[in-house]
Amino acid sequence: MNRILIECVQGDIAHQPDIDVIVNAANARLLPGSGVAGAIHGAAGPGLAEECRALAPIEPGQAVMTGGHGLPNDHVIHCLGPVYGVDQPSGQLLADCFRHALQLADQAGLESIAFPAVSTGVFGYPLTEAAAVAAGAIRETMPTLEHIRRIRLVLFTAEDLAAFRAALQDSGLAQS
Ligand code: ADP
């Protein structure tokens, strides 16, 4: 759609070597943690945390970009998703994460970006709702993108993958 390929795959966000920039489901202080942040910082090495230090803290919905360090990707975009039911309005803040990350990548002239299911782990966002928000934000932002050609959603489990596939279909977005 709009010359942009949208993919939904099961896998590890830290193992997407053919993608220019991967998105981190970060914490406010941009520190290594559990889940996605743990996997990304673990693969990137300590240089990533060092670079992050100058950019922290960030607010829910905000996105900042760093280098990829030891990752196979040139860049990482760190998004702070909302804690479900605490950071309000949660839906708007989660949509902001996807929109801001896409805009940041596009402004940097990058062609491919991979997202995890931001906020659906420790931050407690229900998977089906989060998938609908993500799909809606991608659909609304896509027409404004000039460089992005590939958007990949990387889900950890088969169940999460099915929920995101369904949300993309409901939004009328192409998938593969
Ligand atoms: P948040 O704090 O934003 O909720 P988490 O990292 O706790 O972020 O989890 C976000 C989602 O990413 C969860 O659905 C979790 O199952 C999934 N996840 C955890 N590790 C990985 C990984 N290495 N690659 C892709 N997805 C992951």
Side-chain angles (χ1 to χ4, degrees):
M1 178 173 280
N2 280 2
R3 306 177 319 278
I4 297 177
L5 175 66
I6 302 183
E7 300 173 320
C8 225
V9 303
Q10 187 177 355
D12 184 336
I13 190 70
H15 291 98
Q16 305 298 321
D18 56 336
I19 293 287
D20 294 331
V21 57
I22 60 169
V23 173
N24 182 15
N27 48 66
R29 296 175 63 205
L30 302 180
L31 293 171
S34 61
V36 167
I40 288 178
H41 279 273
L48 180 60
E50 182 70 27
E51 186 181 358
C52 281
R53 211 190 329 245
L55 301 172
I58 63 170
E59 299 289 323
Q62 197 182 342
V64 294
M65 189 155 72
T66 64
H69 298 265
L71 285 159
N73 320 94
D74 288 340
H75 307 275
V76 179
I77 291 177
H78 308 262
C79 284
L80 179 59
V83 176
Y84 187 69
V86 174
D87 298 313
Q88 304 274 17
S90 295
Q92 186 58 53
L93 293 170
L94 185 59
D96 286 348
C97 282
F98 282 86
R99 181 166 52 86
H100 288 149
L102 287 168
Q103 290 169 339
L104 208 50
D106 198 61
Q107 283 157 13
L110 304 180
E111 295 189 352
S112 55
I113 182 168
F115 286 92
V118 177
S119 278
T120 65
V122 173
F123 286 1
Y125 214 113
L127 208 283
T128 307
E129 281 181 47
V133 170
I138 290 169
R139 191 191 57 216
E140 282 173 20
T141 309
M142 268 179 19
T144 69
L145 302 174
E146 293 179 10
H147 302 284
I148 296 290
R149 291 288 169 266
R150 180 184 296 251
I151 300 170
R152 179 177 296 164
L153 295 156
V154 181
L155 289 315
F156 220 30
T157 68
E159 193 186 347
D160 295 355
L161 177 65
F164 267 74
R165 284 214 163 125
L168 289 177
Q169 244 161 9
D170 289 349
S171 305
L173 291 172
Q175 60 174 292
S176 66

